[in-house]
Structures are given as structure tokens and as C-alpha cells.
């Protein structure tokens, strides 16, 4: 193959989409004619060409002389292009060729740089209005990616409550008579987008939110659950069957079902699977031909009926509803159900949450447990800022002293309490009518406590207990409606609500309070509550959680 010599002045060629002046020659070098020679029409007989694509400049006076072979030129060009392509691929921000180079001006490069790419959208701020149980409200500015757990912790901080991981955000629809507790991972702004103008958020306690994970063995009745795999009956196996997406548990039983578009209710055999809620058209048969789909779990949420008997003519007070997210004001598309008792309703609602969210629900339960394990024994439950700012002081000397030892601080508090009571008794003997008078103090001191709810009815107290979770030991105290001098302890045990009357008892001219006809006497209700939080006594269980209402 003949060799050719040529002198060629190299020009700088940038990768800016400009037309290369040697494009015809490159074409002939890459695709020579059949005769093996270049076309005579070329203005240079046999050129040597080097492609320069990096951003550097050559002096116009630089002249190079090369002796090359055409095949070598082709190989060099291909090798150089491969190296450049590899360089672009390994860069931190790969260059994206502009698909419309004709739209670029002469000075603008046809390559999309980092500055020309659209910026990532940062979360914006939005105002959310939250109501408390007493009707007060607060407008909070939150980010669009804030979860329900984050908002609850923010409200706990702002209202100076004790954060015991039992606060929750409630989606309340008064016009539909529905409400539900938001899951901790749900985005508040996203949920608000599915709510009507009459709906609102409530800030409330819910001690039963993760009760299934605390006591799974006694939660579901044996006849309500069917497993596709053999279970050994252990607590770990039960949790795995519900949380594992590959397993297929079924919750089955009879429920009252309201017909769509009608006021009538029918008692049907219903089964809940991961694919949806089905009813049997033939007794208790679960054959595919006898199952009819009632509701889908994917784009729906389960709610409690607030006043099912009054608004929907429900046969019992234990109603539940599967509401599609697209429904705002219409009641025709609501799938209304009704259970025979509160335990059955709780089982169905918990099963719906477990099958819908699975492991995500268990992670929501474990996050506060893991945080609690990292805290010291003196800091649990987590206190608010205002409570943490209080310290124990000793003023027995000439100057005050901060008591840093927790045991010494507790002992000092007990001694101060005994001394205070002795002073009040002395003043009572002397006939003092000061605010420390025991007869006056014992009737008003409990009104400063969160567990005392004043003059409310029995029905209202039961409603508060149900709203804040039917767990053992949940209680509140209220004024008695039948006896103006007495009080009532409302307590939950085994998902049933019981009432115990607290009667005044006089002994040696002093008034006491008792639950057991005077066998155990207390000078005020605070002592009574403290005692039964440590001792069961005549009650079915100890007092564990108190119902609380906070003002936002």
C-alpha cells in the first residue's frame, strides 16, 4: 500500500457542533474507494489528519509533518473516539447530548451541563390546623414531607406534654361520622389532600395503637384466624405469619353489612384476605364461586363509626367502615360494617391494618421502643422542656443547694409532704380557714390532675375511654351524678369498662375517701390514685394509664 507525505496545518476543533473542515477527507479515509486511492476531487491529495476534541489551543504557526497509513489513521481515530467516550462515561456528571442542536445559539454549547438541569424539588411549607379534645386548636407550619409521628412530637413539645409515645393524630370526619388514627409513617399533607372541608385533625392519646404486638397470643380468637401454613402457635410464629407478605392469613366471622344505597343491614359470613374483603353468598362457604368482593384494601382505609346507630341505623354501637380515599362527602360508596362487640371490632380493624401495612406497621412500633432502650432510667418517659427545667432544692441551710442525687431528692420530697400535712392538721385544730384547711383542700386538690375530668356523664366517660384505647388499666375520675359528695373511678379491664364509686368517709372528725367501705382510707384522691397504681386492691387490675385532654 503506497505511503503519502503531506504538510497540514492543524486547526482547533471543539466539540461544539461546528462543522469540521476536513469532513470529506475523513469520510474518504474511513471509507476509501475500491481502487484504494482518494478521490481526485479532494483539494489536498493525501492528507494526514489528527482530531483535536479537548479544550486546548495550538499556535497558528505550528506545522506538523507526518507519514501515516490510511488504516492506521482509521485505527487512531476509532481509538481516540473510544477514549473520549470512556472519559464522558466515567465523569461525575455525564454529558447529555442536546437532541436539538439547531436551537442552540452560536455561543451556547449543545451539551446539557449541570447548571442547565432542573433542580431537585425541596419540600415546601404548609399550614395545618390541629384540634384538641377540649375544642381548642393550633395552626402549625410543617414541611410537606412531615409524617404523623413527627407532627405529634412537635405538638407534644409545643403543649409541654409528657412524650410516652402514645400520642396520635386522628382523621376526623364529623359529616360522615367516621374517624381513624393515622399511622406513624403517613404523610400529613398527603392525608389532608383526601379530606373534605368539614374534616379535621385531632390530637389525642391512643394506648391501644400497637396492643397487638404487646400481646399477640390473646388478641385474635382462635376461630377467627385461618392460616395457609401450619403454625406452631408460638408468639414469634404468629407475628411472622401476619407480617410476612408471602403468608396468607384469613380473618373470618359474621358481620352485619349495610347494603350500598339502602338503609337495610344483612348479617353475612365475611373473610378478610390480602386481596380484599369478601362475603359468602352461601352460608359459610369460602369456595371462589361463592365469594363476592366487598371492598379493596389497596386504596382504602378503615375507620370507626362514631354514632352508627343514629346516623346509619346500625344494629350495634360497634361499627366500622372501609372508606376509599377518593370519597370525601358521598356515603353511597362507603362499605359500612358492624360487629357484635368491641373486641370483635378491634380484631377486624387491627387485621385490616396488619394485612395492609405488614412489616411497616411493626417498624412503627419498634422505633419508640428502640429509642426508649437508649434512654437512662431517670429520663423515661421523656419529659417536656418545662418539666426538665425543674430541679430539687434544699433550703435547710443558710443558702439553697441543688440536690443532684435522685434518691436524696425523692426522700426530701417525701419529708416535705409529711411536714406539709402536719402543718395543715395543726391549722385545722386552731380553727384556721386558710386554703390549707384539709376539708377544703381534699375537695379541690384533685382538680389540678390530668386524670380528673370533672362533671361529665357516664356515657361521656365511656366514650373517652374508648377513644383513647381499650387497654387494661386505662382510667379516669369524675364527679358522681347520683351523689354530689362522691366521685366515680371509670376503669377498663379486658376491653370492658367498669365504674367504681368513691365515697367520703368520716373518722375522728376528719374526712377520708374509700373504695372498699372504709377498709382502705385516703385523705384525698391523689393518695387514692397513687395507691391503686401500685396495688390492685379491690380493683380487677392496677391503674396504669390515665385519660388526658390537653389544650393546644
Amino acid at each position: 500500500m503506497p505511503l503519502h507525505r503531506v504538510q497540514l496545518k492543524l486547526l482547533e476543533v471543539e466539540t461544539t457542533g461546528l462543522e469540521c473542515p476536513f469532513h470529506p477527507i475523513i469520510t474518504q479515509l474511513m471509507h476509501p474507494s475500491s481502487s484504494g486511492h482518494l478521490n481526485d476531487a479532494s483539494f489536498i491529495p493525501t492528507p494526514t489528519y489528527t482530531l483535536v476534541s479537548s479544550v486546548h489551543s495550538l499556535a497558528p504557526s505550528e506545522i506538523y509533518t507526518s507519514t501515516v497509513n490510511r488504516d492506521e489513521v482509521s485505527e487512531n481515530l476509532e481509538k481516540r473516539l473510544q477514549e473520549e467516550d470512556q472519559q464522558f462515561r466515567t465523569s461525575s456528571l455525564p454529558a447529555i447530548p442536546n437532541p436539538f442542536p439547531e436551537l442552540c445559539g452560536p455561543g451556547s454549547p449543545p451539551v446539557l451541563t449541570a447548571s442547565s438541569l432542573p433542580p431537585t424539588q425541596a419540600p415546601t411549607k404548609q399550614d395545618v390546623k390541629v384540634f384538641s379534645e377540649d375544642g381548642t386548636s393550633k395552626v402549625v407550619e410543617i414541611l410537606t414531607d412531615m409524617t404523623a409521628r413527627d407532627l405529634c412530637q412537635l405538638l407534644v413539645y409545643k403543649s409541654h406534654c409528657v412524650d410516652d409515645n402514645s400520642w396520635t393524630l386522628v382523621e376526623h370526619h364529623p359529616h360522615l361520622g367516621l374517624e381513624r388514627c393515622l399511622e406513624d409513617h403517613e404523610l400529613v399533607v398527603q392525608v389532608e389532600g383526601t379530606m373534605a372541608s368539614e374534616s379535621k385533625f385531632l390530637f389525642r392519646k391512643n394506648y391501644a395503637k400497637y396492643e397487638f404486638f404487646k400481646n399477640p397470643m390473646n388478641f385474635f380468637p382462635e376461630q377467627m384466624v385461618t392460616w395457609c401454613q401450619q403454625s406452631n402457635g408460638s408468639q414469634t410464629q404468629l407475628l411472622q405469619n401476619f407480617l410476612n407478605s408471602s403468608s396468607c392469613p384469613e380473618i373470618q366471622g359474621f358481620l352485619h353489612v349495610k347494603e350500598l344505597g339502602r338503609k337495610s343491614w344483612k348479617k353475612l359470613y365475611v373473610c378478610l384476605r390480602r386481596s380484599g374483603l369478601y362475603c359468602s353468598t352461601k352460608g359459610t362457604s369460602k369456595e371462589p364461586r361463592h365469594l363476592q368482593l366487598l371492598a379493596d384494601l389497596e386504596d382504602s382505609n378503615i375507620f370507626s363509626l362514631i354514632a352508627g346507630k343514629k346516623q346509619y341505623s346500625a344494629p350495634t354501637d360497634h361499627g366500622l367502615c372501609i372508606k376509599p380515599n377518593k370519597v370525601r362527602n358521598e356515603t353511597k360508596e362507603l362499605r359500612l360494617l358492624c360487629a357484635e362487640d368491641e373486641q370483635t371490632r378491634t380484631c377486624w380493624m387491627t387485621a385490616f391494618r396488619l394485612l395492609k401495612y405488614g412489616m411497616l406497621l411493626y417498624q412503627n412500633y419498634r422505633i419508640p421502643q428502640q429509642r426508649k432502650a437508649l434512654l437512662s432510667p431517670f429520663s423515661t418517659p421523656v419529659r417536656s422542656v418545662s418539666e426538665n427545667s425543674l430541679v430539687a432544692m434544699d433550703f435547710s441551710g443558710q443558702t439553697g443547694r441543688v440536690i443532684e442525687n435522685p434518691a436524696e431528692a425523692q426522700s426530701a420530697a417525701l419529708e416535705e409532704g409529711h411536714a406539709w400535712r402536719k402543718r395543715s392538721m395543726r391549722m385545722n385544730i386552731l380553727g384556721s380557714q386558710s386554703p390549707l384547711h384539709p376539708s377544703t383542700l381534699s375537695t379541690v386538690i384533685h382538680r389540678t390532675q390530668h386524670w380528673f375530668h370533672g362533671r361529665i356523664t357516664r356515657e361521656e366517660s365511656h366514650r373517652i375511654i374508648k377513644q383513647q384505647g381499650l387497654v387494661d388499666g386505662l382510667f379516669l375520675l369524675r364527679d358522681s351524678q347520683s351523689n354530689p359528695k362522691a366521685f366515680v373511678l371509670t376503669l377498663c379491664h379486658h376491653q370492658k369498662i367498669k365504674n367504681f364509686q368513691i365515697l367520703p368517709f368520716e373518722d375522728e372528725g376528719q374526712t377520708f375517701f374509700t373504695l372498699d367501705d372504709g377498709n382502705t382510707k385516703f385523705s384525698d384522691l391523689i393518695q387514692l390514685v397513687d395507691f391503686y397504681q401500685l396495688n390492685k386492691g379491690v380493683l380487677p387490675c392496677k391503674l396504669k394509664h390515665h385519660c388526658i385532654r390537653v389544650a393546644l
Side-chain angles (χ1 to χ4, degrees):
M1 182 174 294
L3 299 176
H4 305 276
R5 294 179 180 272
V6 69
Q7 284 187 340
L8 177 64
K9 181 179 178 180
L10 291 181
L11 300 177
E12 179 183 354
V13 181
E14 296 181 353
T15 57
T16 58
L18 299 178
E19 184 178 357
C20 179
F22 306 120
H23 177 70
I25 305 174
I26 295 176
T27 305
Q28 295 184 48
L29 287 174
M30 298 295 294
H31 306 284
S33 60
S34 59
S35 61
H37 299 280
L38 294 176
N39 194 335
D40 296 334
S42 302
F43 66 94
I44 298 178
T46 51
T48 299
Y49 177 74
T50 302
L51 180 65
V52 181
S53 60
S54 60
V55 183
H56 66 280
S57 61
L58 296 175
S61 61
E62 292 182 18
I63 306 294
Y64 289 85
T65 304
S66 300
T67 303
V68 294
N69 188 291
R70 286 182 300 180
D71 294 338
E72 294 176 352
V73 172
S74 301
E75 293 176 0
N76 291 336
L77 285 173
E78 293 180 359
K79 184 178 180 180
R80 185 64 179 273
L81 292 175
Q82 290 176 0
E83 291 176 354
E84 292 179 354
D85 182 70
Q86 183 67 21
Q87 180 181 359
F88 282 122
R89 289 178 182 273
T90 57
S91 61
S92 59
L93 183 63
I96 306 174
N98 190 353
F100 305 104
E102 65 275 4
L103 299 181
C104 298
S108 58
V111 175
L112 299 180
T113 60
S115 59
S116 61
L117 294 176
T120 57
Q121 186 176 3
T124 59
K125 294 183 178 181
Q126 184 170 330
D127 291 338
V128 174
K129 193 173 186 179
V130 183
F131 291 82
S132 63
E133 291 291 332
D134 61 354
T136 60
S137 63
K138 180 184 289 293
V139 177
V140 185
E141 186 182 64
I142 66 172
L143 296 175
T144 54
D145 60 349
M146 178 173 282
T147 62
R149 182 196 296 275
D150 297 335
L151 181 55
C152 286
Q153 291 182 340
L154 179 62
L155 293 173
V156 165
Y157 174 79
K158 288 182 175 293
S159 56
H160 306 290
C161 304
V162 176
D163 187 8
D164 56 357
N165 301 309
S166 60
W167 293 99
T168 186
L169 204 63
V170 178
E171 179 184 352
H172 182 70
H173 303 275
H175 59 292
L176 297 177
L178 306 175
E179 68 177 22
R180 75 173 181 101
C181 294
L182 268 68
E183 304 299 342
D184 289 340
H185 66 273
E186 291 190 78
L187 299 180
V188 178
V189 175
Q190 185 176 351
V191 175
E192 189 182 34
T194 64
M195 297 167 55
S197 57
E198 301 89 349
S199 306
K200 57 185 178 180
F201 286 126
L202 299 177
F203 183 54
R204 178 192 297 167
K205 285 269 191 178
N206 184 12
Y207 296 100
K209 194 171 187 178
Y210 299 113
E211 189 67 17
F212 168 76
F213 298 113
K214 301 175 184 177
N215 189 17
M217 295 298 296
N218 300 328
F219 202 82
F220 288 104
E222 185 177 355
Q223 68 274 10
M224 281 189 65
V225 186
T226 301
W227 307 102
C228 61
Q229 301 174 356
Q230 188 66 26
S231 176
N232 57 15
S234 65
Q235 176 172 320
T236 305
Q237 183 66 36
L238 184 63
L239 286 173
Q240 289 179 352
N241 288 338
F242 266 107
L243 301 179
N244 190 3
S245 58
S246 61
S247 64
C248 46
E250 285 188 8
I251 309 299
Q252 57 200 12
F254 284 96
L255 287 176
H256 298 275
V257 182
K258 184 177 182 299
E259 298 184 77
L260 295 179
R262 299 183 180 181
K263 296 183 178 180
S264 58
W265 293 72
K266 285 186 177 181
K267 191 172 183 179
L268 301 175
Y269 190 76
V270 180
C271 64
L272 180 64
R273 300 175 178 177
R274 294 192 186 277
S275 57
L277 182 70
Y278 299 86
C279 70
S280 177
T281 59
K282 186 178 180 181
T284 59
S285 174
K286 293 193 293 183
E287 296 184 13
R289 58 176 179 165
H290 295 150
L291 293 181
Q292 180 180 353
L293 180 65
L294 290 178
D296 188 13
L297 276 65
E298 185 66 27
D299 196 30
S300 303
N301 282 300
I302 192 161
F303 289 77
S304 298
L305 287 183
I306 301 174
K309 277 188 173 181
K310 181 178 180 180
Q311 190 166 358
Y312 297 103
S313 303
T316 69
D317 290 324
H318 314 290
L320 58 151
C321 171
I322 298 180
K323 172 184 170 295
N325 294 334
K326 63 180 181 179
V327 176
R328 296 197 177 190
N329 298 313
E330 303 82 7
T331 60
K332 295 181 179 180
E333 298 186 36
L334 299 179
R335 179 55 70 180
L336 301 175
L337 310 168
C338 196
E340 293 292 344
D341 51 42
E342 187 61 34
Q343 181 181 6
T344 305
R345 176 171 76 166
T346 305
C347 290
W348 281 100
M349 296 185 67
T350 305
F352 183 97
R353 295 169 58 213
L354 286 169
L355 295 180
K356 181 177 176 65
Y357 298 109
M359 185 57 69
L360 189 58
L361 201 66
Y362 183 70
Q363 293 173 355
N364 293 340
Y365 162 70
R366 289 296 301 167
I367 288 176
Q369 303 298 322
Q370 295 169 356
R371 292 178 180 174
K372 186 177 180 181
L374 298 176
L375 298 174
S376 63
F378 299 104
S379 61
T380 55
V382 180
R383 293 183 175 182
S384 65
V385 177
S386 60
E387 291 177 338
N388 285 332
S389 62
L390 302 178
V391 295
M393 298 288 294
D394 179 17
F395 295 100
S396 59
Q398 294 181 354
T399 60
R401 178 179 64 90
V402 177
I403 303 178
E404 298 181 354
N405 188 352
E408 183 184 359
Q410 185 177 6
S411 176
L414 293 176
E415 292 179 3
E416 178 67 20
H418 291 312
W420 177 77
R421 292 185 186 280
K422 288 180 181 180
R423 288 195 303 268
S424 64
M425 291 183 65
R426 264 197 318 268
M427 298 183 72
N428 182 34
I429 295 174
L430 296 175
S432 171
Q433 297 299 324
S434 67
L436 294 177
H437 194 284
S439 60
T440 305
L441 184 65
S442 61
T443 58
V444 298
I445 190 172
H446 53 268
R447 299 188 181 275
T448 62
Q449 304 301 306
H450 291 299
W451 39 256
F452 187 77
H453 289 250
R455 195 175 299 275
I456 61 175
T457 63
R458 174 187 290 239
E459 292 75 16
E460 180 69 11
S461 65
H462 288 198
R463 185 185 67 83
I464 296 175
I465 292 283
K466 290 179 181 179
Q467 287 179 347
Q468 301 197 12
L470 291 174
V471 297
D472 289 351
L474 181 62
F475 73 98
L476 62 83
L477 268 73
R478 58 182 176 87
D479 290 316
S480 175
Q481 291 180 295
S482 57
N483 188 347
K485 296 183 179 180
F487 303 93
V488 177
L489 169 66
T490 305
L491 176 65
C492 178
H493 179 62
H494 289 172
Q495 294 188 335
K496 294 182 179 180
I497 302 175
K498 302 179 180 180
N499 297 278
F500 302 89
Q501 196 168 42
I502 304 172
L503 297 173
F505 181 84
E506 291 190 5
D507 186 11
E508 298 181 358
Q510 189 174 356
T511 303
F512 296 93
F513 297 94
T514 180
L515 268 173
D516 51 6
D517 297 329
N519 294 326
T520 310
K521 298 176 292 183
F522 306 95
S523 59
D524 53 51
L525 296 184
I526 296 180
Q527 284 189 351
L528 183 146
V529 171
D530 290 343
F531 175 83
Y532 285 107
Q533 284 179 331
L534 301 174
N535 308 275
K536 184 173 73 171
V538 295
L539 299 177
C541 63
K542 298 179 184 179
L543 305 182
K544 188 176 181 181
H545 309 292
H546 64 273
C547 294
I548 180 175
R549 289 179 173 182
V550 297
L552 293 177

